[in-house]
Amino acid sequence: MNPEPFQLLDRVIHEKGRLAIMSMLAASRELAFTDLRGALGMTDGNLTTHIRALQQAGYVAVTKSFQNKRSLTTCLLTPAGRQAFAEYINVLEQIVRQNKPA
Amino acid sequence: MEPNWAAENLQTIRTLMERSAVYRRALAPIMLLAGSLGLVAGLTGYVIGWNTTLHFGLLWLVTAFAAVTGACFVARRQAFKDGEPFWSPPTRRVVLAVLPTWLSAAAMSLTIIFTNVVNGELVLTLIWILFYGFGLHAAGFFMPRGIKVFGGLFVAAATLFACFLPVLLAHFYVNTNILMAFFFGVLHLAYGGYLYVSEKRKQTA
């Protein structure tokens, strides 16, 4: 097996929780923090940590606003995040092709 | 390393992306509200005897408007309670899915109501059940699976009704208000009750 594609996998995205966040955000233009938390069944602290890691990598942007006097935190993928996610998928597909019996 | 992990990861990503696009507001209160309005409107129309195309048509257009407005208020309240935006991408997808068929049905209805079509109330009933079903079925691609089945039921019922209409009219008296009360009242209440129980079970699980 050619180990090269494994090395191309983005380590920031490859973690299970962060991959789930990236997948959810890739399908929606933006998602509320509470929406992500509910869909992924994560705790506030866990989700915050993962989002912070993705923010530091420049993959996710977080905006805070007010709606009906309540704070609303929304997350969305940045163009860099969208590109990194697409590349991650490409690498996975490459690995799947490589593992397929000839 | 497990050789299938990459394929499994891709499957997980696909599932998550699909889940992200699904509308997640609780549908039970919306269905129960729509069902109650449908039942009240149907029984009112039947008791008062609003069977002419004009009276029947206007009664049900007003009921539809009230049901849609009420549904928006319920969904908006749920969104604010959960600290989420009301006009979210899944909401937008659902609205865009139902809009073409429902707008088309509304335009046809207005034409029928104000142009004295023969048996207009029967034609309206058919159009509403059929197009409502089409709309729900289309929205079902962005909602929990049950909605697609519920919409399909309306489409199937309207199709059967249209096929057997001459036979039905020859042998039975068809009261359109009762028919509407069954489809838009009783069926919605039954589905709302089912959703209420199943959504509650999911929350406690």
Side-chain angles (χ1 to χ4, degrees):
Chain A
M1 190 187 289
N2 177 13
E4 200 187 333
F6 292 99
Q7 286 151 13
L8 291 174
L9 282 172
D10 189 326
R11 295 289 132 190
V12 180
I13 303 177
H14 193 51
E15 199 281 332
K16 200 177 151 197
R18 290 197 285 272
L19 177 60
I21 295 168
M22 293 289 283
S23 304
M24 298 283 290
L25 292 177
S28 287
R29 204 165 57 86
E30 60 180 19
L31 278 175
F33 182 89
T34 47
D35 221 358
L36 270 173
R37 185 186 58 195
L40 298 174
M42 286 184 182
T43 61
D44 278 2
N46 205 357
L47 186 57
T48 306
T49 310
H50 284 314
I51 286 177
R52 200 172 295 144
L54 290 168
Q55 243 184 317
Q56 279 164 1
Y59 294 167
V60 167
V62 177
T63 52
K64 286 179 191 286
S65 58
F66 278 90
Q67 193 174 274
N68 267 21
K69 294 176 187 166
R70 297 177 74 167
S71 74
L72 175 70
T73 306
T74 43
C75 308
L76 71 155
L77 280 191
T78 60
R82 207 161 277 281
Q83 195 186 334
F85 185 70
E87 280 166 14
Y88 181 85
I89 300 278
N90 282 339
V91 176
L92 279 187
E93 282 171 343
Q94 207 179 322
I95 295 168
V96 170
R97 274 197 300 273
Q98 194 181 293
N99 282 331
K100 260 189 189 161
Chain B
M1 195 178 283
E2 185 68 35
N4 285 334
W5 71 269
E8 281 165 13
N9 259 18
L10 280 172
Q11 183 56 44
T12 308
I13 290 168
R14 190 174 299 129
T15 309
L16 284 166
M17 288 179 82
E18 281 169 5
R19 200 194 300 169
S20 170
V22 166
Y23 185 76
R24 275 185 298 275
R25 298 269 86 83
L27 292 171
I30 293 173
M31 285 289 166
L32 291 173
L33 173 76
S36 309
L37 285 172
L39 195 61
V40 169
L43 293 178
T44 307
Y46 177 69
V47 171
I48 298 177
W50 278 351
N51 296 318
T52 62
T53 305
L54 181 68
H55 287 138
F56 173 81
L58 290 179
L59 167 70
W60 283 98
L61 276 186
V62 169
T63 307
F65 180 75
V68 170
T69 311
C72 286
F73 271 113
V74 172
R76 188 171 173 269
R77 215 180 68 176
Q78 280 183 34
F80 286 160
K81 213 170 127 194
D82 295 343
E84 293 164 10
F86 166 63
W87 192 241
S88 60
T91 309
R92 219 169 11 239
R93 277 184 209 110
V94 168
V95 171
L96 288 176
V98 298
L99 215 56
T101 46
W102 288 9
L103 278 183
S104 163
M108 279 192 275
S109 307
L110 288 174
T111 311
I112 291 165
I113 290 169
F114 295 109
T115 52
N116 261 340
V117 171
V118 182
N119 279 336
E121 65 286 356
L122 266 175
V123 180
L124 283 176
T125 307
L126 260 177
I127 288 176
W128 287 337
I129 298 173
L130 189 64
F131 279 67
Y132 181 74
F134 283 147
L136 281 193
H137 190 267
F141 286 95
F142 311 104
M143 295 177 95
R145 199 183 111 77
I147 286 290
K148 212 193 286 182
V149 178
F150 193 58
L153 179 76
F154 273 69
V155 174
T159 309
L160 279 176
F161 183 56
C163 292
F164 291 103
L165 194 59
V167 182
L168 281 173
L169 287 177
H171 294 92
F172 301 100
Y173 166 65
V174 181
N175 188 298
T176 45
N177 276 309
I178 293 297
L179 209 59
M180 291 290 285
F182 174 72
F183 278 99
F184 292 95
V186 176
L187 285 187
H188 279 77
L189 285 175
Y191 188 48
Y194 164 75
L195 284 174
Y196 182 76
V197 174
S198 56
E199 281 170 359
K200 212 171 183 183
R201 205 182 304 144
K202 238 182 258 173
Q203 278 168 7
T204 51

